[in-house]
Amino acid sequence: MTLALLAMSHSPLLEFADLDADVTAELDQTFAAAKDFVHDYDPDIVVNLAPDHYNGFFYNLMPAYCVGYAATSIGDYGSQAGRLDVPEAKARSLAEAVIAEGIDLSVSLEMEVDHGTVQPMEIVYGDITAKPFIPIFINSVAPPFTPVKRVRQLGEALGRHLATWDEKVLLISSGGLSHDPPVPRLATATPAQRAMLMGENQPLPAEARAARQQRVIDAARDFAAGTADIQDLAPEWDRELLRILASGDLSPVDTFDPDEMTRIAGNSSHEVRTWIAGYAAMAAVGTYEVQHTYYRPIRELIAGFAMTTVVHT
Ligand SMILES: O=C(O)/C=C/c1cccc(O)c1O
Ligand SMILES: [Fe+2]
């Protein structure tokens, strides 16, 4: 059994934001550390925990969690598009083992994924097909959300099964901490937004795709300038979460209330579910330590932006 975890925030704005030089330098160092960690570890297979932002999963049928037996990256915000190298038999064995433990996973034989899934692979390998890759979707954007405790249990079940594999497994958790990008929400959607959230008119025509992305890019610029109408980042909440995750005792997350998370840390703060599942997978099979940790609230990226690398001790 060999398992390691790279947990990192994603933001499609990395390619579009005008960052201060010191922030760019910090991020360059952080991504270099992530790369070094992954290349030194040299995994045989990546198991990737990520949300979706209404690009592959819609309100016509919204699962809480889903394992892809095959997957394609849609290439939003200029991310690498195309087929991922998903080993179907391994993905199936993982899903079946987790379901047998009482976690109600869905499966997809044709999953579509977005920047949330592929950005870490692009950063560490420069190629989303560099390694065999099992994508696991964790709903983090579309309420209602499962209790956070269930996400911890999902992670534990994943970890227990992955620990039986001969392959060296790299878990990637991809998600922002506190953040509230202007992704449309069902509760406040216009008729056109509601149609988008339902997955009508997919794939989006190029103009609609460009308009959707420009809205987020503009919001990020305004947020950095202090004029955007989105919820502020919550660095204290982020730091406390990182402290809990690093402590090795994940039981405090069981008391997290999804509505409170939204209120304090924003509508997309639920992306931390990917982190909780990744850390829980590590915790299920041994004691661990966080080797590298980075955190900075970055308004230009609309993200409490963090990266940690985790190994068993
Ligand atoms: O526009 C989207 O689909 C999402 C944008 C976004 C912006 C900032 C942080 C994130 O985690 C995002 O997914
Ligand atoms: Fe996201």
Side-chain angles (χ1 to χ4, degrees), residues 10-12 51 53 115-116 141 174-176 179 181 268 271:
H10 60 251
S11 171
H53 312 79
H115 68 274
V141 175
S174 172
H179 66 310
S268 290
E271 288 188 2

Side-chain angles (χ1 to χ4, degrees), residues 19-308:
L19 296 170
D20 287 346
D22 58 331
V23 178
T24 301
E26 252 181 41
L27 287 174
D28 285 348
Q29 271 178 18
T30 300
F31 296 151
K35 248 189 208 166
D36 286 349
F37 172 73
V38 170
H39 287 273
D40 289 350
Y41 179 62
D42 194 21
D44 301 312
I45 186 166
V46 172
V47 173
N48 195 80
L49 306 162
D52 174 73
H53 312 79
Y54 302 109
N55 289 304
F57 293 89
F58 303 92
Y59 270 116
N60 60 339
L61 184 63
M62 180 62 73
Y65 324 113
C66 184
V67 175
Y69 290 3
T72 301
S73 165
I74 65 145
D76 61 327
Y77 289 98
S79 59
Q80 187 182 339
R83 208 83 185 138
L84 287 148
D85 175 17
V86 182
E88 183 178 338
K90 300 294 289 184
R92 184 182 301 110
S93 86
L94 181 57
E96 288 178 357
V98 170
I99 290 167
E101 283 213 36
I103 305 292
D104 301 324
L105 266 183
S106 302
V107 302
S108 170
L109 274 66
E110 197 55 85
M111 196 178 203
E112 294 204 320
V113 302
D114 67 12
H115 68 274
T117 290
V118 301
Q119 191 172 81
M121 283 296 280
E122 291 192 286
I123 288 172
V124 296
Y125 285 115
D127 180 6
I128 63 174
T129 64
K131 291 284 168 183
F133 183 93
I134 300 179
I136 303 182
F137 160 74
I138 297 183
N139 177 27
S140 307
V141 175
F145 300 112
T146 62
V148 178
K149 180 180 182 176
R150 294 294 290 163
V151 177
R152 180 177 61 72
Q153 292 169 337
L154 162 68
E156 288 174 356
L158 286 169
R160 277 191 289 271
H161 185 67
L162 294 174
T164 68
W165 287 5
D166 292 334
E167 290 90 345
K168 237 196 276 181
V169 179
L170 175 69
L171 283 156
I172 296 180
S173 296
S174 172
L177 306 189
S178 62
H179 66 310
D180 193 37
V183 177
R185 274 175 287 141
L186 196 57
T188 53
T190 62
Q193 288 174 332
R194 190 180 167 92
M196 189 282 281
L197 298 177
M198 289 287 290
E200 292 167 16
N201 206 16
Q202 288 292 325
L204 281 184
E207 258 180 37
R209 166 69 57 196
R212 177 178 163 182
Q213 295 182 179
Q214 194 57 47
R215 182 163 167 257
V216 176
I217 294 165
D218 291 346
R221 188 200 51 228
D222 295 348
F223 191 37
T227 58
D229 184 21
I230 59 177
Q231 192 168 322
D232 207 354
L233 305 175
E236 278 177 30
W237 188 86
D238 291 342
R239 290 197 174 95
E240 174 60 6
L241 177 74
L242 291 171
R243 189 198 62 73
I244 293 168
L245 295 173
S247 76
D249 172 14
L250 302 182
S251 59
V253 305
D254 290 1
T255 64
F256 284 16
D257 172 49
D259 291 340
E260 273 292 286
M261 291 170 70
T262 302
R263 191 182 64 74
I264 297 169
N267 285 292
S268 290
S269 65
H270 304 277
E271 288 188 2
V272 301
R273 289 162 180 264
T274 64
W275 286 61
I276 290 165
Y279 272 82
M282 294 295 286
V285 292
T287 55
Y288 61 76
E289 68 179 8
V290 175
Q291 286 192 326
H292 187 104
T293 186
Y294 170 78
Y295 173 74
R296 184 173 185 130
I298 307 178
R299 286 178 154 193
E300 288 82 351
L301 301 181
I302 318 186
F305 203 93
M307 190 282 280
T308 63

